[in-house]
Amino acid sequence: MIQLVRGFKDILPPETSVWQSIEDTARRHFENFGFREIRPPVLEQAALFQRSIGEHTDIVEKEMYTFAGSRDTLLTLRPEATASVVRAYIQHKIYAADPAARFYTIGPMFRKERPQKGRYRQFYQINAEVFGVDSPYMDAQLIYMCMTFFRRLSVSGLQVHLNSLGCPECRPAFREKLSEMLAGRAENLCPDCLRRLEKNPLRVLDCKVPACREAVADAPSMLDFLCDDCGQHFRTVQAALADMDIEFQIDPRLVRGLDYYTRTAFEIQTSELGAQNAVAGGGRYDQLVEMLGGPAQPAIGFAIGLDRLVELFAAKFPAPETGPEVFFLPMGDAARKRAAKWSSQLADAGVRVEADFSGRSLKALMRRADRMGAARVLIVGRIYIRTCGQVAEK
Ligand code: AMP
C-alpha cells in the first residue's frame, strides 16, 4: 500500500470541522479590521524566496522544496506566504489603488524540516499583511487583532514576546558588536551557529542548543543600539499596546528566522505545546517591497501556525460529531429510488441528510444511524394500497 509521505499528514473529519470553524472565525475577525482575502499560488520562482527570506537562513539553505521548471527556472513550493503576497502586491500595482492595503491569506506552506510533534513538512498558516503604513499604531493594532482572534477562540495562556530589530541605520553596529563577542566564544557554539556567525550572527541569539543559549546569555541587546526613530517607534508600540490592555514581554533574544524583518518583531507563545511553543510570529519588513522591485513601501505582517492553533483549540473543545438531521433508511429497491429523490431534495432545501442505499438489514442500518448520531430516522418502506381486491405496490 502506498503510504503518506513522511512529515505530511491527512486531516480527517471530525477534526476538519475544527479547522473550518477556526478559518471562518479568522475570516470574519480579520475582515472587521479591514483585511481582504488574497490567494497567491503555492508555487513561485525559487528566486523570490532566496531574495526575500535571505540566502543564509535555515529555510533557504536547507528546507525548501525546489525543482526545475521550464526554461532553466527553479520553482519552489512556498515555505511562507509573505514573499508571495509582496510579489502580488508589486505585480498588480496594488499600491497605486490603495495606499494602505491590508490582506489575509490562509493556506499550506512547505518546509523540509525534521518532522516532529508540532513541526510538519506541509503545515498551514493564516497570514495578515499591511502595506503602506509605517505608523507604530498599526503594529499595535495588528498584535491586538491577533490576540483578540485567539480570545474569540477562547484560546488562553498566550504571551506576546516583543522586540525591535532596528533598521539598516542602527542594526549594523549591533551586528558588529555581537559578531565580535561571539567570535570570542566560537568554540562553544554548535556547528549551525558557527556558520551563522559568519553570515547571519543574529540567528545565534535564538538557537535552542543549550551551549549556544549559554554563550549568548550576556549578549548585547539590539534595544541598546536603536536609533532615535526606531527607539521612538518601539516606545509608541509599547504604549499603544498597554493602552489596549495587551500584555507583552520585551524579549531582546527574539530575532525570528527570516532576514527581512525590521523594527517591531513579535512572537505569540504558549506553554501548552512543548518545544514548539510559537503559535504566531511576525513583524515589520519596511525594506522588502523595494528589495523585490516595488516602490519603497513600509509593511508589517504576521503568520499564525494553524496546525498548532488547532491542537490548542481541540484540546479544549474536541470536535463535535454532527450527525444527520434525517437518516433515510429505505427498504427495497423502490424505496431506495424514493429515498434518493426525497433525501436529495431535502438536502437541497438545507437539511443535513444521509441516505443509506446499501440494501443491508433494517437492524444494520438502524445501528449505523445510531453510530452517526442521527437525530431522526425515516424508514421508507413499500406502501400497499388495496383497491377493488387488487394489491398495487406504490
Ligand atoms: P514562521 O513563518 O517561521 O515565522 O512561523 C510562523 C508560525 O508558523 C510559527 O509560529 C508556527 O506556529 C508555524 N510554523 C512554522 N513552521 C512550522 C512547521 N514546520 N510546522 C507547523 N507549524 C509551523
Side-chain angles (χ1 to χ4, degrees):
M1 200 228 129
I2 298 172
Q3 302 269 343
L4 259 179
V5 179
R6 203 167 99 86
F8 289 69
K9 65 177 176 182
D10 296 310
I11 304 166
L12 306 174
E15 195 193 301
T16 31
S17 64
V18 176
W19 288 72
Q20 288 167 349
S21 102
I22 292 180
E23 287 166 10
D24 289 348
T25 308
R27 285 176 212 284
R28 276 197 310 276
H29 189 64
F30 291 7
E31 283 176 17
N32 286 346
F33 283 81
F35 287 71
R36 287 177 303 157
E37 186 171 8
I38 183 170
R39 298 192 190 192
V42 296
L43 196 67
E44 298 273 4
Q45 295 198 32
L48 176 67
F49 303 111
Q50 286 156 352
R51 275 168 61 188
S52 57
I53 298 172
E55 292 280 2
H56 305 298
T57 54
D58 287 354
I59 295 180
V60 171
E61 277 183 346
K62 44 189 188 193
E63 294 172 359
M64 297 206 305
Y65 285 95
T66 297
F67 51 91
S70 54
R71 282 186 284 134
D72 297 339
T73 46
L74 282 178
L75 302 177
T76 295
L77 283 176
R78 65 175 181 196
E80 58 109 43
T82 303
S84 300
V85 178
V86 173
R87 187 215 23 85
Y89 174 77
I90 299 169
Q91 187 167 347
H92 303 287
K93 299 192 171 56
I94 294 169
Y95 47 84
D98 186 355
R102 296 166 195 214
F103 297 110
Y104 71 89
T105 189
I106 304 176
M109 310 296 151
F110 304 84
R111 291 184 198 169
K112 223 182 290 164
E113 295 188 87
R114 193 169 63 77
Q116 54 183 293
K117 189 176 154 18
R119 205 170 260 296
Y120 311 101
R121 292 184 162 183
Q122 175 176 337
F123 59 99
Y124 295 77
Q125 286 187 340
I126 306 176
N127 284 258
E129 319 285 348
V130 182
F131 296 96
V133 186
D134 62 4
S135 164
Y137 296 110
M138 192 68 247
D139 308 28
Q141 187 175 51
L142 205 67
I143 295 171
Y144 180 87
M145 179 173 92
C146 192
M147 288 303 280
T148 46
F149 168 59
F150 293 130
R151 200 183 294 161
R152 262 185 186 234
L153 295 172
S154 303
V155 170
S156 52
L158 298 174
Q159 300 95 38
V160 179
H161 289 244
L162 192 66
N163 193 17
S164 175
L165 298 173
C167 66
E169 290 275 299
C170 53
R171 190 156 38 181
F174 168 65
R175 198 184 140 119
E176 202 170 304
K177 188 92 184 160
L178 183 67
S179 296
E180 234 171 64
M181 189 209 92
L182 292 174
R185 299 174 186 184
E187 71 278 10
N188 300 334
L189 300 178
C190 73
D192 276 344
C193 282
L194 273 180
R195 266 186 313 115
R196 290 173 185 142
L197 186 56
E198 288 267 302
K199 300 175 170 152
N200 197 351
L202 263 68
R203 289 299 322 274
V204 179
L205 288 176
D206 74 348
C207 179
K208 304 280 185 286
V209 174
C212 301
R213 292 194 85 107
E214 214 169 287
V216 298
D218 58 348
S221 161
M222 178 65 226
L223 299 179
D224 296 327
F225 289 78
L226 294 180
C227 60
D228 288 349
D229 286 350
C230 288
Q232 183 58 41
H233 186 99
F234 194 46
R235 282 190 296 278
T236 311
V237 174
Q238 294 175 57
L241 283 174
D243 195 41
M244 291 169 156
D245 293 326
I246 298 291
E247 284 179 26
F248 58 88
Q249 223 165 294
I250 305 280
D251 184 350
R253 295 274 172 280
L254 181 72
V255 291
R256 319 261 313 115
L258 303 89
D259 271 2
Y260 53 61
Y261 287 112
T262 48
R263 292 196 168 170
T264 311
F266 63 94
E267 209 162 83
I268 297 173
Q269 300 179 359
T270 170
S271 49
E272 288 172 30
L273 285 180
Q276 306 307 325
N277 62 355
V279 197
R284 264 200 175 274
Y285 49 93
D286 289 342
Q287 267 77 47
L288 187 59
V289 177
E290 198 176 9
M291 237 173 73
L292 290 177
Q297 287 282 358
I300 180 166
F302 67 70
I304 296 172
L306 196 43
D307 308 68
R308 295 183 193 171
L309 181 57
V310 167
E311 240 180 87
L312 280 178
F313 185 79
K316 289 201 180 108
F317 309 102
E321 191 65 86
T322 39
E325 289 166 276
V326 183
F327 190 104
F328 281 77
L329 213 150
M331 295 283 100
D333 198 49
R336 276 195 286 280
K337 185 175 162 205
R338 266 187 216 108
K341 183 174 171 185
W342 291 344
S343 62
S344 305
Q345 289 173 336
L346 208 56
D348 184 42
V351 178
R352 223 170 38 249
V353 301
E354 168 85 24
D356 192 311
F357 303 119
S358 67
R360 288 184 300 147
S361 71
L362 181 64
K363 191 170 159 198
L365 297 193
M366 283 297 271
R367 214 178 284 135
R368 177 158 180 253
D370 189 43
R371 238 190 351 253
M372 291 183 75
R376 292 176 203 85
V377 161
L378 190 74
I379 300 173
V380 187
R382 283 184 291 185
I383 309 164
Y384 292 93
I385 300 178
R386 204 172 276 275
T387 45
C388 307
Q390 288 180 320
V391 175
E393 190 187 322
K394 283 251 169 183

